[in-house]
Amino acid sequence: MTAGTRNEWQEWRGWRAAARDALYAPGGFYRRAEGPAGHFRTSVHATPLFAGAVARLLCRVDEALGRPAVLDFVDMAAGRGELAGGVLAALPPDVAARTHVCAVEIAERPAGLDHRIEWLAEPPRGTTGLLFANEWLDNVPVEIAEVDAAGVARLVLVREDGTERLGEPVDGEPARWLERWWPLSGEEGQRAEIGLPRDEAWAAAVATLRRGLAVAVDYAHTAGTRPPFGTLTGFREGRETTPVPDGSCDLTAHVALDACALPGGRVLPQREALRALGVTGARPPLALASTDPAAYVRALASAGEAAELTAAGGLGDFGWLVQSIGVEDPF
């Protein structure tokens, strides 16, 4: 990849603008009828155990808040409402009766969604409860930086067909973000995703909470584990693919969750968070197979699903950024 003249650059765009249009413009990837589940599998789609764990977390937040008359659950990047519906179904009846569920998504409200779920394009302000963002921040578009032959970090420009080239040197706030959160060594070809828009998006989401807990769950890395060549990739019909900003595939990059964290926030692995919420993956006692074979089979299947959610090298490696607002950390 080589840098070009200023006139040549005008036909190219940074990855942030290209991905924003490819994902969210009319006809974009996230506005398609099949939704994200048609292309990739998240913890929400893997098993109802995940929604059950989030429901238990909401109950803990409810207790910490003193059981308010209205308890809010805000599902950011709600897809087609799978998590929102699953959490509502898993809540104890007395808690569900007080819970106001908001699904936040740019796509149209899906047909048949539980009438108790409010469908919004932006998170409501002044909520009291739990804001939960599962695999949202990885789809907040960011600029990509790459080091050139002279050791200078430049913006990566891209065409709609995925062809790339280098643009102007990174400067200003993006350069300061790289220096603070993802310093590049100067080796040619090193890449980084400039996470500043994600930091801002997370801060804006947390600011909608009056009291409660905000949680972001995502593919993540932290200082000391930044990948040297970035993580930008695509997904189409269940398979990882070359990232092309033409609306045909998901465009995603892992999140620097430590950079997103506001004062008091902390990052923990999904396996630790879910185990704290009762998802352990422990096999049922073998004696149950003889006393109640059907229950044993059900428990064994549940243990397998729990193991997938907490597996090292898989979903268990996801990061949970936990941000408490006016309540104690429930973990």
Side-chain angles (χ1 to χ4, degrees):
M1 188 185 303
T2 58
T5 67
R6 187 175 303 274
N7 288 336
E8 289 173 329
W9 290 339
Q10 291 175 1
E11 65 179 302
W12 303 75
R13 294 194 293 171
W15 264 105
R16 185 182 181 192
R20 184 173 57 236
D21 286 350
L23 296 177
Y24 304 118
F29 179 83
Y30 275 101
R31 295 186 182 274
R32 293 183 171 191
E34 72 270 19
H39 296 271
F40 52 88
R41 191 165 178 259
T42 71
S43 297
V44 177
H45 307 127
T47 166
L49 292 178
F50 189 80
V54 177
R56 288 191 290 277
L57 177 58
L58 180 58
C59 289
R60 291 188 184 182
V61 173
D62 182 41
E63 291 296 330
L65 290 167
R67 298 174 59 82
V70 177
L71 175 67
D72 294 306
F73 175 64
V74 179
D75 179 15
M76 295 291 298
R80 296 303 176 264
E82 298 94 339
L83 180 61
V87 167
L88 194 52
L91 288 173
D94 63 313
V95 179
R98 294 184 288 108
T99 301
H100 174 219
V101 179
C102 292
V104 180
E105 180 59 68
I106 63 163
E108 295 296 321
R109 181 187 181 94
L113 186 68
D114 192 311
H115 70 277
R116 294 172 294 174
I117 299 173
E118 186 176 7
W119 195 261
L120 300 172
E122 299 286 342
R125 300 196 66 82
T127 58
T128 299
L130 173 63
L131 180 145
F132 200 87
N134 185 62
E135 295 195 42
W136 167 49
L137 290 173
D138 68 301
N139 290 126
V140 173
V142 294
E143 298 289 7
I144 310 296
E146 181 174 324
V147 177
D148 68 9
V152 176
R154 294 180 176 270
L155 292 176
V156 177
L157 307 182
V158 64
R159 281 177 166 166
E160 192 176 84
D161 66 0
T163 304
E164 292 182 338
R165 70 182 307 160
L166 296 185
E168 296 280 4
V170 180
D171 61 8
E173 281 298 315
R176 287 188 283 275
W177 188 93
L178 282 178
E179 183 179 3
R180 169 67 179 86
W181 294 108
W182 197 331
L184 295 168
S185 70
E187 178 186 346
E188 183 178 6
Q190 279 205 336
R191 287 169 68 120
E193 291 101 30
I194 304 173
L196 186 60
R198 293 169 172 178
D199 300 356
E200 295 168 347
W202 180 242
V206 172
T208 66
L209 271 175
R210 180 181 296 117
R211 288 182 68 215
L213 188 73
V215 178
V217 180
D218 240 310
Y219 297 97
H221 45 67
T222 55
T225 64
R226 308 286 191 226
F229 302 106
T231 61
L232 177 67
T233 191
F235 283 93
R236 183 189 297 114
E237 298 177 354
R239 295 179 180 274
E240 189 169 6
T241 187
T242 302
V244 178
D246 61 358
S248 68
C249 65
D250 183 31
L251 299 170
T252 177
H254 295 196
V255 183
L257 281 180
D258 50 346
C260 293
L262 299 169
R266 67 187 183 106
V267 179
L268 62 159
Q270 172 154 296
R271 72 180 64 87
E272 181 180 331
L274 289 181
R275 285 169 182 163
L277 295 169
V279 180
T280 65
R283 293 172 63 91
L286 189 58
L288 185 62
S290 56
T291 59
D292 191 341
Y296 177 78
V297 170
R298 290 194 299 271
L300 195 61
S302 179
E305 294 173 357
E308 181 182 3
L309 289 178
T310 57
L315 294 175
D317 290 344
F318 272 52
W320 282 43
L321 169 55
V322 179
Q323 203 85 47
S324 297
I325 308 297
V327 297
E328 290 188 6
D329 186 329
F331 288 99

